[in-house]
Amino acid sequence: MAAKKEKTFKFVIVGGGIAGVTCVEQLTSQIPSADVALITAGHHIKAVTNYKQLTVIHSAVKSLHTETHSLETADGRVFGYEKLCICSGGRPKLLTQDNPYVLGIRDTDSAQEFQKLLSKAKRIVVVGNGGIALELVYEVEGCEVIWAVKDKAIGNTFFDAGAAQFLIPSLEADKPEVAAPCKRTRYTTEEPAPGASQTFTAEPGSALGPDWHEGIALRGAQQVSRRVSVEYQCEVEKIFTSEELLNSPQQTLRPESAGSWPVYVQLTNGKTFGCDLVVSATGVVPNAEPFLHGNTFAVAGDGGLRVDDHMMTSEPDVYAAGDVCTACWELSSLWQQMRLWTQARQMGWYAGRCMAAHVLSEPIELDFCFELFSHITKFFNYKVVLLGKFNGQGLGSDHELLVRCTKGREYVKVVLSGGRMVGAVLIGETDLEETFENLILNQMDLTPYGEELLNPDVDIEDYFD
Ligand code: FAD
């Protein structure tokens, strides 16, 4: 690299999302005297990072040179590092690039853009079956929603067809006036300080994370409350503009409405829908690209930077955490990686601990949070708790399920393998999460209890106390 290093920091963290910020917080609490730089492309940084020793550089990293331990930013500056942690998140897998009618929701800017376009929309098509799609179809009002999912049931990323069946009536009912309360700590974003150096690029901001739609009205141009139709087991075949559809030689594709919508989506089930906007909610790809060129990172099949049980990539002194990385240590049989906010926070926290421990030559063991998968969220105004191998992931046919369902109230599913609880899905106010978490962790043989385990007349908490 020709340019000279402006400064070499002991620690450099790239990315001001939840992983980057928790990494900085941990590092500075472990080694308060260390000079730390946070380089981030986004306009905002998650939460407050109030440390005197922290230098915040608002610019995107353009390239990384692991041999010389240096990074170049979009504004042409070069910084050295002794230890680096890449927390650059992911970017939405868009169905198509550069189509003004196709939008992915990721950060504050794209959510605002969506809100603006939605306010004039009569019909939107939502493509995808993950968390963002689930929340969107439930939250959007005043606009018809066509929801294209590739699976046989909604919410396949998070639960099975039984749970989907439990939730579907909520989509057909009007929204409750009062939303279920949220008891989670909220992180806000911090504006850059006045006069702080920053260069804006096309780089994305931090992913919005839980509660992203709180405080933004997701309302279309119609009077209807909610109108969602689900198209199962299909993907997008093609997206047409109005003109393209009218000029298409495939006359059979033309819906009656041809010409009256700005954009048309042809699905693999043969149906074509006209709409005002297509929301592409088909997941994220790790944002590893800017760091790969000229280096020899081991990259996982999903495009993430492979990290070991100390959050270290294959390049010396380079760590990674959050959506950009792929956990490649020998995973606990009850944990799996999902690109979720809680995991990004846990990884950032643990990466910071590991970086500090390595510098201080202290031993460090894999954190306990990677022992058992747990995720708490809210779908369709129900509390949803997912534990362990909640969908029997990786168990093949070697598991049995116990299910208890009370329509409109709760859905409880337990996954058992060899008589031991290995996972659970809890929807509604079940109050079972703590007991089940303990039963999963202690791997007690539950064979003697059989189906009694879910008997609503048995106070299970007392039972296992
Ligand atoms: P990000 O938050 O994406 O942060 C990456 C940071 O890196 C950003 O600051 C970005 O500006 C910066 N950056 C990127 N490239 C560069 C570069 N070249 N140079 C410098 N900086 C760079 N998870 C849940 O658990 N529950 C939810 O309800 C939930 N809802 C979600 C809703 C939405 C709309 C979205 C998009 C995601 C949601 N998620 C949810 C997922 C969750 O938000 C992410 O898993 C998590 O935020 C990832 O954190 P991160 O720090 O790894 O990455």
Side-chain angles (χ1 to χ4, degrees), residues 80-320:
Y81 62 84
E82 284 179 34
K83 300 232 176 266
L84 168 72
C85 189
I86 303 175
C87 304
S88 52
R91 47 177 90 227
K93 275 187 221 159
L94 271 193
L95 289 164
T96 163
Q97 299 293 333
D98 302 325
N99 182 327
Y101 300 107
V102 180
L103 197 79
I105 299 174
R106 204 203 124 65
D107 48 21
T108 319
D109 291 350
S110 51
Q112 281 169 356
E113 175 71 3
F114 170 63
Q115 187 189 25
K116 199 173 95 196
L117 296 172
L118 176 68
S119 67
K120 298 191 199 103
K122 293 198 178 74
R123 185 198 280 166
I124 63 169
V125 172
V126 176
V127 185
N129 204 6
I132 297 175
L134 272 168
E135 291 197 76
L136 257 191
V137 298
Y138 183 77
E139 293 300 331
V140 165
E141 289 181 288
C143 180
E144 187 186 350
V145 177
I146 312 283
W147 184 14
V149 301
K150 68 176 183 334
D151 314 291
K152 279 191 193 143
I154 62 160
N156 207 48
T157 325
F158 294 101
F159 33 68
D160 60 2
Q165 235 15 68
F166 171 84
L167 288 173
I168 278 280
S170 306
L171 265 192
E172 287 151 9
D174 280 344
K175 253 167 88 174
E177 289 289 310
V178 186
C182 168
K183 297 187 189 128
R184 200 185 305 106
T185 316
R186 283 169 201 262
Y187 271 71
T188 50
T189 54
E190 201 187 48
E191 297 280 350
S197 127
Q198 48 183 302
T199 305
F200 296 130
T201 62
E203 289 302 326
S206 311
L208 284 163
D211 316 317
W212 64 275
H213 48 75
E214 303 265 305
I216 22 177
L218 295 181
R219 181 149 259 299
Q222 301 215 78
Q223 284 309 313
V224 291
S225 165
R226 194 190 299 113
R227 224 168 109 203
V228 182
S229 358
V230 190
E231 293 292 328
Y232 291 101
Q233 289 184 280
C234 62
E235 291 181 55
V236 171
E237 178 82 48
K238 205 162 175 215
I239 296 178
F240 298 92
T241 60
S242 194
E243 296 80 61
E244 280 167 347
L245 189 78
L246 287 169
N247 297 331
S248 159
Q250 286 171 280
Q251 300 290 323
T252 49
L253 289 181
R254 282 190 201 175
E256 280 176 20
S257 65
S260 49
W261 296 97
V263 62
Y264 289 82
V265 181
Q266 185 194 341
L267 300 175
T268 48
N269 64 6
K271 295 187 194 170
T272 302
F273 293 95
C275 60
D276 295 298
L277 180 66
V278 184
V279 182
S280 171
T282 48
V284 291
V285 274
N287 214 350
E289 218 277 323
F291 308 93
L292 301 180
H293 187 74
N295 303 310
T296 51
F297 280 103
V299 177
D302 61 7
L305 299 175
R306 291 176 65 98
V307 290
D308 67 10
D309 58 353
H310 284 156
M311 306 307 292
M312 293 198 71
T313 67
S314 57
E315 288 283 4
D317 298 317
V318 184
Y319 300 70

Side-chain angles (χ1 to χ4, degrees), residues 300-366:
D302 61 7
L305 299 175
R306 291 176 65 98
V307 290
D308 67 10
D309 58 353
H310 284 156
M311 306 307 292
M312 293 198 71
T313 67
S314 57
E315 288 283 4
D317 298 317
V318 184
Y319 300 70
D323 281 5
V324 73
C325 79
T326 303
C328 288
W329 61 83
E330 206 179 306
L331 303 184
S332 143
S333 61
L334 300 169
W335 188 86
Q336 59 273 331
Q337 182 179 8
M338 284 180 84
R339 289 193 163 82
L340 294 168
W341 195 85
T342 8
Q343 288 198 358
R345 192 177 54 168
Q346 290 166 340
M347 287 178 170
W349 186 91
Y350 179 57
R353 306 253 325 176
C354 288
M355 290 166 87
H358 292 162
V359 164
L360 301 170
S361 302
E362 288 172 358
I364 182 154
E365 277 185 30
L366 188 65

Side-chain angles (χ1 to χ4, degrees), residues 28 72 82 131 167 188 202 251 307 381 433 447 462:
T28 42
E72 192 174 351
E82 284 179 34
L167 288 173
T188 50
Q251 300 290 323
V307 290
N381 215 33
E433 53 266 35
T447 320
D462 277 0

